[in-house]
Amino acid sequence: MANRNFNRYQALTKEAKALFAQFSVAAAGAPTLNAPASLGITSIVRNSAGRYTITLDDKYNDLLQITQSRVLASGAPGAVGGMIVRSEAVDTDKTIVIEFVDSAGAAIELVSGSLVRLKINLKNSSVQR
């Protein structure tokens, strides 16, 4: 049964934390971070077609996982593909570089009007167990 208190993030990995981010995409892939829905995220910037750098507020020991979902209220979704992590330095620079790619692995620009939601799982401790 769910704990309706929702204060603890429960995982076997010690000090696992989840951050959520949300950004909208405008013309030429320009991102706009929804700050109230992105606590723990300092900024997101577009580096090139489909490639973005996310800067976190704090350093973490490790990036455990990042997942995404995209919402497009109308129009064609453009090239269908996925998201990959190009690099991460959550323990030093507090950054994660993601890229949206097509099925062949080539970078794709997100369609203007897209809303991207991210869940970023991080480790906040060097303790293994």
Side-chain angles (χ1 to χ4, degrees):
M1 181 172 292
N3 174 353
R4 296 297 298 230
N5 203 5
F6 292 114
N7 286 328
R8 292 187 151 187
Y9 182 77
Q10 298 178 353
L12 290 176
T13 300
K14 295 291 184 193
E15 288 297 314
K17 306 297 179 190
L19 299 180
F20 297 89
Q22 185 173 299
F23 66 96
S24 57
V25 178
T32 299
L33 185 68
N34 179 339
S38 305
L39 300 179
I41 309 297
T42 300
S43 64
I44 183 163
V45 296
R46 180 183 178 275
N47 303 324
S48 59
R51 188 178 287 205
Y52 298 88
T53 297
I54 302 161
T55 302
L56 308 175
D57 289 349
D58 302 297
K59 293 180 184 178
Y60 292 87
N61 288 73
D62 196 14
L63 172 65
L64 299 174
Q65 181 182 28
I66 182 170
T67 56
Q68 60 94 19
S69 63
R70 285 177 269 172
V71 178
L72 184 59
S74 64
V80 177
M83 182 193 76
I84 59 174
V85 176
R86 283 293 182 190
S87 66
E88 59 90 9
V90 296
D91 59 338
T92 55
D93 297 333
K94 306 183 290 187
T95 60
I96 303 167
V97 177
I98 59 172
E99 186 172 26
F100 294 90
V101 296
D102 64 16
S103 58
I108 57 172
E109 197 70 84
L110 295 178
V111 175
S112 180
S114 295
L115 175 68
V116 179
R117 293 184 175 126
L118 302 172
K119 180 180 181 187
I120 306 167
N121 295 91
L122 300 147
K123 185 167 176 61
N124 197 36
S125 171
S126 60
V127 175
Q128 295 301 316
R129 294 182 176 208

